[in-house]
Amino acid sequence: MRKKILLALAVLALGLQFVRPQKNISAAPPAKEDFLVAHPPPPELRHLIAVACYDCHSDNTRYPWYAEIQPVGWWLARHIDDGVTNLDLSRFGAYTEKRQGRKLDAMIDEITDRTMPLPSYTWIHHDARFSDAQVKQLTDWLQAERDKLPADE
């Protein structure tokens, strides 16, 4: 009986590997609405934003090897969907100026508070960890971009 249960679980686990979520990868070049196009940062900040933010908040995710293992792939797909729903850097320039301002304010707060990038993300993606100096440099630049937009009233 125990062997049959283990065999059934193994077959189920194997079968799950064939049910995969759609990947968040776009072949199109960044459009003018893309955050890095609409608000071009200095090169060092461009790299930080791309590495720390774009996997979960854009149309182009860099998938790690373990994304091929289900149910981990499903969990990542849901996580990415939630991230893009909350902040879509691929379409940031299409937001109204008021919404862009609110999103920039939220980005500044979350980077300063170190709630973004998520600790679970930086645990595996060491290149997405910000030093104190990088946090200051990035939030100062984001604030300067925010100051170019009308005040949110």
Side-chain angles (χ1 to χ4, degrees):
M1 179 68 166
R2 187 175 189 184
K3 285 185 180 182
K4 287 182 181 181
I5 292 172
L6 289 175
L7 180 61
L9 289 174
V11 169
L12 178 63
L14 183 63
L16 290 177
Q17 302 315 304
F18 295 101
V19 182
R20 298 178 178 272
Q22 183 176 352
K23 295 232 175 162
N24 182 40
I25 300 174
S26 172
K32 66 180 181 178
E33 292 85 18
D34 186 276
F35 180 74
L36 295 175
V37 175
H39 298 274
E44 64 277 8
L45 294 182
R46 179 183 190 81
H47 176 74
L48 280 178
I49 294 165
V51 167
C53 308
Y54 268 62
D55 278 347
C56 297
H57 295 285
S58 79
D59 287 343
N60 283 300
T61 300
R62 297 174 302 153
Y63 285 93
W65 64 268
Y66 53 83
E68 299 301 323
I69 301 169
Q70 305 314 318
V72 174
W74 299 333
W75 178 79
L76 286 173
R78 182 167 180 231
H79 183 77
I80 293 164
D81 287 344
D82 289 346
V84 171
T85 297
N86 288 312
L87 174 65
D88 189 347
L89 294 173
S90 294
R91 290 167 190 74
F92 191 87
Y95 292 165
T96 64
E97 286 185 338
K98 191 174 183 178
R99 187 170 185 206
Q100 285 184 38
R102 286 193 307 267
K103 293 295 183 180
L104 286 167
D105 288 338
M107 290 169 72
I108 293 164
D109 291 345
E110 291 177 4
I111 291 167
T112 301
D113 296 344
R114 295 191 181 263
T115 55
M116 281 290 164
L118 291 174
S120 60
Y121 182 80
T122 59
W123 184 66
I124 296 171
H125 299 89
H126 300 281
D127 55 347
R129 294 180 185 168
F130 297 150
S131 67
D132 291 341
Q134 288 171 322
V135 167
K136 177 158 179 30
Q137 185 182 17
L138 183 55
T139 56
D140 286 351
W141 177 78
L142 288 168
Q143 186 61 55
E145 290 301 301
R146 172 63 180 103
D147 291 344
K148 294 176 186 176
L149 298 171
D152 188 15
E153 298 185 27

